[in-house]
Amino acid sequence: MRYSLFGEKLTARSGILQLMEDLGHALARPGKVYMLGGGNPAHIPQMDAVWRSRMEAILRDGDSFEHMVADYDAPRGKESFLEAVAGFLREEYGWDIGPENVAITNGSQSAFFFLFNMFAGPRADGTTRKILLPVVPEYVGYADQGIENDMFVGARPTIDTIDAHTFKYHVDFDHLVIDESIAAVCVSRPTNPTGNVLTDDEVERLSDIARQNDIPLLIDNAYGMPFPGIIFSDVSPIWRHGIILSMSLSKLGLPGVRTGIVVADSPIIEALSGVNAIASLANGSLGQVLTEPLFRDRTILTLSREVVRPFYERRAAQAREWISQYFPADLDYSIHSSEGSIFLWIWFRALSADSAELYRRLKERGVIIVPGEYFFFGIDEDWGHSRQCIRLNYCHNEQDVRAGIRIIGDEARRLSA
Ligand code: PLP
């Protein structure tokens, strides 16, 4: 079978696809598997109960169910849902937005595919532009989304040592280069894989720089404020003209309904809905219908603050506690300051092999993590740090996380100089 360049690019066996398949095979093998890999959020019983009772209410409510499953929505999303989301954000945070500033996509992953390719790549004037990632490591799900090769330019962050076992990445504004070749700046906040949350000041500076260069700043808020609110530090939700804010219902507990929510200036929303119409016709309605009343009565805020955030904050603290308890005293490790998301990012400073080798050895012992290499894309220089980190998802079964952490400490010690 011969494919086009587009087809070849998208069907190429990306590193992360191979890794995900490998994870699948590892899970299917006999013997105990400790799953600390993957990006699935937890099943929080209170959240599962909310979705079940919402679904029961829809089934009882006249012909709501039939409308939900038997009508196409407009490509931008369900009008009443766009109004509910815009009203919620305007009234709670004073943002200058209306429904014309909101578009729905089938998951925020699709939104990034559309947005990256709308802005970056070859232009009519013969130039080619790229997406700047101001802090790498960054979400691996972006890495292969460019229709053109080499769509990303990543910037190395500065590393702030907080204490013997904690560090934090910061944007290195002194070395951040934005010139004519940059189409947009993009950052996930909280960051997958590190749990980093850019400070309000960093976001404002990035937004100012983007505005001065007349390019958008994309903020991937999949774990952020105000929902699902998996942020443990004191920061504010930020949107202003020139920012494209992407949100998602996935980490609230609805990854299966595929609902991404994009807030941006209205011309961008209009353009995005045009792409949506071509690629998907319309979006799935389920996520919108399930959550619309929660936006209207603000239950979405209460659930995020009182159920989702405390759940993950407790689990993150617990995982860090097990690390300090079980990692050997002479193991040289540092954890990225855990400020949000569902991951811990661990740096083994004295690793004598790369983290891919650590991944292989851990897999042999039934422990699944994600090696850090994959998250360092868009940078050409050789950076030893990129081979010394792993990502650990702490939200699966607690006993497995605990046992997995013990084995990680043991194996990392064996592999350390
Ligand atoms: N952005 C980040 C940082 C993510 O971690 C994920 C999923 O894990 C996504 C976007 C995509 O999420 P979804 O397509 O489920 O909205």
Side-chain angles (χ1 to χ4, degrees), residues 118-370:
M118 278 161 62
F119 288 107
R123 293 205 171 168
D125 62 7
T127 60
T128 297
R129 312 237 173 160
K130 298 191 179 205
I131 304 290
L132 173 70
L133 308 171
V135 176
V136 167
E138 183 50 276
Y139 173 46
V140 66
Y142 303 149
D144 293 293
Q145 284 204 314
I147 292 171
E148 287 286 309
N149 286 323
D150 297 327
M151 177 177 267
F152 298 98
V153 193
R156 251 168 86 154
T158 58
I159 298 180
D160 186 12
T161 303
I162 296 175
D163 60 38
H165 292 303
T166 321
F167 74 104
K168 177 172 167 68
Y169 296 124
H170 283 289
V171 180
D172 185 358
F173 284 102
D174 291 342
H175 295 101
L176 200 67
V177 181
I178 300 199
D179 57 22
E180 290 284 284
S181 67
I182 303 300
V185 180
C186 176
V187 65
S188 59
R189 181 187 195 241
T191 307
N192 173 358
T194 58
N196 192 12
V197 175
L198 259 59
T199 61
D200 290 351
D201 181 55
E202 282 175 308
V203 174
E204 276 167 24
R205 283 180 75 178
L206 285 176
S207 156
D208 288 345
I209 295 173
R211 199 193 308 222
Q212 284 152 18
N213 286 274
D214 203 18
I215 57 176
L217 168 64
L218 275 78
I219 302 179
D220 182 346
N221 201 30
Y223 302 87
M225 301 281 283
F227 63 90
I230 313 176
I231 289 197
F232 318 138
S233 55
D234 188 20
V235 296
S236 328
I238 298 177
W239 182 83
R240 55 165 78 144
H241 294 290
I243 290 182
I244 304 176
L245 184 66
S246 167
M247 298 188 265
S248 168
L249 296 182
S250 295
K251 313 301 171 181
L252 204 54
L254 290 173
V257 305
R258 312 306 303 127
T259 308
I261 303 170
V262 178
V263 176
D265 292 316
S266 58
I268 291 177
I269 291 300
E270 218 168 288
L272 183 62
S273 347
V275 183
N276 227 354
I278 292 170
S280 321
L281 212 54
N283 306 289
S285 307
L286 181 56
Q288 300 176 70
V289 177
L290 279 176
T291 57
E292 186 180 319
L294 312 188
F295 282 95
R296 292 196 184 278
D297 69 8
R298 309 299 191 251
T299 311
I300 196 136
L301 268 185
T302 350
L303 289 170
S304 300
R305 284 181 190 148
E306 292 173 15
V307 179
V308 180
R309 171 184 163 157
F311 174 89
Y312 287 104
E313 196 165 15
R314 186 180 62 74
R315 297 294 296 270
Q318 175 77 86
R320 287 199 313 274
E321 174 61 32
W322 284 328
I323 288 175
S324 61
Q325 205 175 328
Y326 297 133
F327 274 15
D330 59 347
L331 175 62
D332 188 356
Y333 73 92
S334 190
I335 307 171
H336 192 285
S337 173
S338 165
E339 299 166 338
S341 87
I342 60 178
F343 310 107
L344 290 184
W345 178 250
I346 312 175
W347 176 17
F348 296 109
R349 285 178 292 220
L351 212 58
S352 57
D354 55 21
S355 60
E357 175 62 16
L358 179 58
Y359 160 76
R360 276 189 291 276
R361 291 189 181 208
L362 286 171
K363 195 175 60 164
E364 288 299 304
R365 297 180 66 178
V367 180
I368 306 298
I369 50 97
V370 181

Side-chain angles (χ1 to χ4, degrees), residues 399-414:
Q399 293 322 313
D400 285 7
V401 173
R402 179 191 189 131
I405 283 174
R406 206 190 263 265
I407 298 171
I408 293 170
D410 182 53
E411 205 54 55
R413 179 67 198 85
R414 288 178 197 217

